[in-house]
Amino acid sequence: MSAPVFCSCAITGGMSVPGQSAAIPVTPEEIVDSAAGARAAGAAIVHIHVREPESGKPIADLGLFREVLSGIAERCDAIVQPTSGGGVGMTIEERARVVTACRPEMATFNCGSFNFGIFQARKRPEMARWEVEYLESTRDYVFKNTFADLHRLSELFREAGTKPEYEVYDVGHLFNLAHLAEQGLVDFPLHVQFVLGVLGANAASLDQLGHMRRTATELFGAERFTWSAAGVGYPGQFHLAAAALMQGGHMRVGLEDNLRVTARRRAESNAELVDKAMALAGLLDREPADADGARELLGLTRG
Ligand code: KMH
Ligand code: ZN
């Protein structure tokens, strides 16, 4: 086996609605359970959003984050990575609160503003009215991450001692990140997540992954960043996982980004998606890292 690979699992998401799939965990108990299941299947990192337990609406509630983060820590040793991306309508202050208040060892850090369209998701008859409205509202939604936001977040992450996972959706976001580096606002080595396949940003194709990876290498130097690929949708999620496995990267799967295990079958759990990613790793001779192995690869010292 060659270089170790770690897998993140994005458990529930903030840009989807629970009516899209009964498998999407909603309550704190369901999110904790699903995260523990993903860890047991081999994920080293669990990426966390929280939802209003009654409705399933994405929310930036600190009490819910605390409950979920501590619940996962009691159940398993996964790196618990909350979002600072949040969901539609949340301010940057609301989104950043989990970092400041909970000081997680890692959290996501979104590297630029862009249109984030999920209005093409199928409207199912079982969806509540707010769910259809939530999806539709993204026809007119900009996921706002201005330079002022990026500068402020950089300071907050440093103060909290939280390692950012830099989410880049488009090639320009890498140049934004290079700007932060020039300003002395990032600590090397970086960890970059190439999130490809969002409507409004770059496509989940091998060419685009290659383009972004080459750009990151030119900007930062191959030895100064670790990277992972997250394909949004099916088959993008597994195509990008396979590409990352072949090229020495790490991978992210999970119901936040994709609801299918195969072209014919919808996923029943996050663990199922992680199982498939682990099987791909085995087939492509990459040795899966456990949570402490991932901490070592990421230079995390606070596990
Ligand atoms: N839902 C995504 C496509 C974040 O939470 O900070 C990206 C994401 C961002 O996971
Ligand atoms: Zn997320």
Side-chain angles (χ1 to χ4, degrees):
M1 291 264 188
S2 59
V5 58
F6 59 79
C7 178
S8 306
C9 186
I11 301 294
T12 181
M15 293 298 291
S16 57
V17 295
Q20 288 176 260
S21 164
I24 295 175
V26 168
T27 65
E29 297 74 23
E30 288 169 356
I31 294 171
V32 169
D33 237 30
S34 194
R39 173 71 195 98
I45 302 177
V46 289
H47 168 64
I48 300 296
H49 293 247
V50 290
R51 296 177 181 271
E52 232 170 43
E54 301 75 29
S55 65
K57 190 171 185 192
I59 187 174
D61 183 275
L62 213 44
L64 290 172
F65 267 120
R66 287 205 165 103
E67 190 176 342
V68 168
L69 267 48
S70 63
I72 297 171
E74 276 167 28
R75 291 273 298 273
C76 66
D77 65 350
I79 298 169
V80 186
Q81 180 203 70
T83 179
S84 74
V88 178
M90 296 176 201
T91 64
I92 190 78
E93 289 76 23
E94 289 168 334
R95 287 164 39 190
R97 227 165 27 202
V98 64
V99 175
T100 312
C102 300
R103 302 163 59 96
E105 56 182 328
M106 196 178 203
T108 56
F109 182 119
N110 293 273
C111 291
S113 301
F114 60 104
N115 293 338
F116 199 132
I118 47 168
F119 53 86
Q120 287 180 316
R122 198 174 131 208
K123 314 295 180 317
R124 298 174 164 264
E126 62 270 29
M127 282 180 181
R129 188 173 169 158
W130 78 262
E131 296 183 276
V132 174
E133 286 172 1
Y134 194 84
L135 298 172
E136 277 298 312
S137 74
T138 64
R139 289 184 190 276
D140 196 26
Y141 173 63
V142 176
F143 183 30
K144 176 181 162 299
N145 297 285
T146 61
F147 285 111
D149 296 335
L150 303 184
H151 281 231
R152 182 78 193 114
L153 271 187
S154 300
E155 286 162 4
L156 293 179
F157 270 68
R158 272 207 177 140
E159 280 160 26
T162 296
K163 177 164 176 124
E165 175 182 279
Y166 292 106
E167 315 290 304
V168 296
Y169 304 77
D170 221 326
V171 75
H173 299 168
L174 288 166
F175 291 90
N176 295 351
L177 185 50
H179 159 76
L180 295 180
E182 275 161 28
Q183 300 297 307
L185 290 169
V186 308
D187 298 309
F188 287 94
L190 315 171
H191 183 58
V192 177
Q193 184 76 262
F194 297 111
V195 186
L196 300 185
V198 173
L199 180 64
N202 213 338
S205 75
L206 300 188
D207 273 354
Q208 295 308 321
L209 177 65
H211 172 49
M212 290 181 68
R213 196 180 145 222
R214 274 193 306 280
T215 306
T217 305
E218 279 163 24
L219 287 170
F220 309 119
E223 303 307 317
R224 297 185 86 204
F225 73 101
T226 49
W227 65 276
S228 170
V232 175
Y234 187 91
Q237 179 155 100
F238 293 107
H239 284 185
L240 259 57
L245 286 164
M246 290 166 69
Q247 296 172 42
H250 304 281
M251 55 187 173
R252 160 166 145 170
V253 295
L255 291 165
E256 171 164 347
D257 303 333
N258 159 53
L259 300 171
R260 292 196 167 274
V261 186
T262 70
R264 291 180 180 209
R265 199 161 67 74
R266 283 157 65 84
E268 283 169 21
S269 67
N270 276 300
E272 243 187 329
L273 298 171
V274 175
D275 279 341
K276 179 161 170 171
M278 289 295 130
L280 284 173
L283 289 169
L284 294 169
D285 300 312
R286 294 286 302 276
E287 182 195 338
D290 63 11
D292 282 342
R295 285 188 175 92
E296 208 174 307
L297 290 163
L298 288 161
L300 294 172
T301 50
R302 287 176 37 203

